[in-house]
Structure formats: C-alpha cells, structure tokens
C-alpha cells in the first residue's frame, strides 16, 4: 500500500516562503503524475499544483501560479512544493496525492501539513 506523508508546513508572515515535502512509503509513486491540494475548514479540498512523472509538465491553479513551484525526485519518491510570496489566503492544510487529470487518485489521504500565513 502507498502511504503519503506531508511535511514542511508552519507559520509564516505574509510574503514569506515555505517548502513542503511529500514522501511516499510502502510503494513508489510509479509513473503517475503527482499533485498538491489544500483544504480550509468548511471548504472542499482544492487543486493547487501537479507535475507529470518526468517533470516536463506542470500545472498550477490560478491563485498560486507564479508563486508556487512543484517539483519531484522520483529516485527518492519525493514531491515538493516551493511556496513564495505567501498570502494569508494560502492558509490551509496541504496534501499530496497521485493525480490523473488533476484529480486525486488515492482514496487514502495523508495527514497533510498545516500552512498558516499571518497578515
């Protein structure tokens, strides 16, 4: 079974940066694209960014495009999300998952990592 563990979140001031990490255990990510999602209490989980297996294709939601960068290291079964120029609106719990067409594939989500941006 695949287990996803997110880390790197924290409390930062607006304009600051954070780098989130997603590690897979049990099995590798395989050839699937990977993505980041975020969720705010009371709202549904939303797509943030995705990257193809080879890293040649990257997609971002309009709200983070230009500020966030997704990357991956297949040899280490790691996916990253470099977040810059953070805004209070970015405050959420961030999750990673395998994606197909920007749709999460694995039914079991990790615990996520909390990102809080103060104004």
């Amino acid at each position: 079974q695949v287990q996803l563990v997110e880390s790197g979140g924290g409390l930062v001031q607006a304009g600051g940066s954070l780098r989130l990490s997603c590690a897979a255990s049990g099995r590798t990510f395989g050839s699937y694209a990977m993505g980041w999602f975020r969720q705010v209490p009371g709202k549904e989980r939303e797509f943030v960014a995705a990257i193809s297996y080879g890293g040649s294709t990257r997609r971002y939601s309009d709200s983070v495009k230009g500020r966030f960068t997704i990357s991956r290291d297949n040899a280490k079964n790691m996916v990253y999300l470099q977040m810059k120029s953070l805004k209070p609106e970015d405050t959420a719990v961030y999750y990673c998952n395998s994606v197909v067409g920007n749709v999460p594939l694995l039914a079991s989500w990790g615990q996520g990592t909390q990102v809080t941006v103060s104004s």
Side-chain angles (χ1 to χ4, degrees), residues 7-51:
S7 63
L11 174 63
V12 299
Q13 295 182 327
S17 302
L18 281 175
R19 190 193 192 199
L20 306 184
S21 297
C22 171
S25 63
R27 290 187 179 182
T28 66
F29 294 142
S31 60
Y32 295 106
M34 293 295 296
W36 284 94
F37 300 79
R38 65 186 183 186
Q39 186 172 34
V40 176
K43 295 184 178 181
E44 295 187 351
R45 210 185 318 259
E46 67 175 356
F47 168 80
V48 175
I51 183 171

Side-chain angles (χ1 to χ4, degrees), residues 71-85:
S71 61
R72 68 189 296 167
D73 186 335
N74 294 333
K76 298 180 179 179
N77 287 340
M78 296 287 289
V79 181
Y80 309 97
L81 184 67
Q82 179 65 56
M83 307 183 294
K84 299 180 178 180
S85 300

Side-chain angles (χ1 to χ4, degrees), residues 2-7 21-23 36-39 45 92-97 107-115:
V2 178
Q3 292 179 299
L4 302 172
V5 180
E6 301 90 348
S7 63
S21 297
C22 171
W36 284 94
F37 300 79
R38 65 186 183 186
Q39 186 172 34
R45 210 185 318 259
V93 176
Y94 286 70
Y95 303 86
C96 64
N97 206 328
S108 181
W109 295 83
Q111 292 299 307
T113 184
Q114 176 71 51
V115 172

Side-chain angles (χ1 to χ4, degrees), residues 84-106:
K84 299 180 178 180
S85 300
L86 284 164
K87 304 175 181 180
E89 303 86 79
D90 295 319
T91 295
V93 176
Y94 286 70
Y95 303 86
C96 64
N97 206 328
S98 297
V99 297
V100 178
N102 293 353
V103 176
L105 179 63
L106 301 177

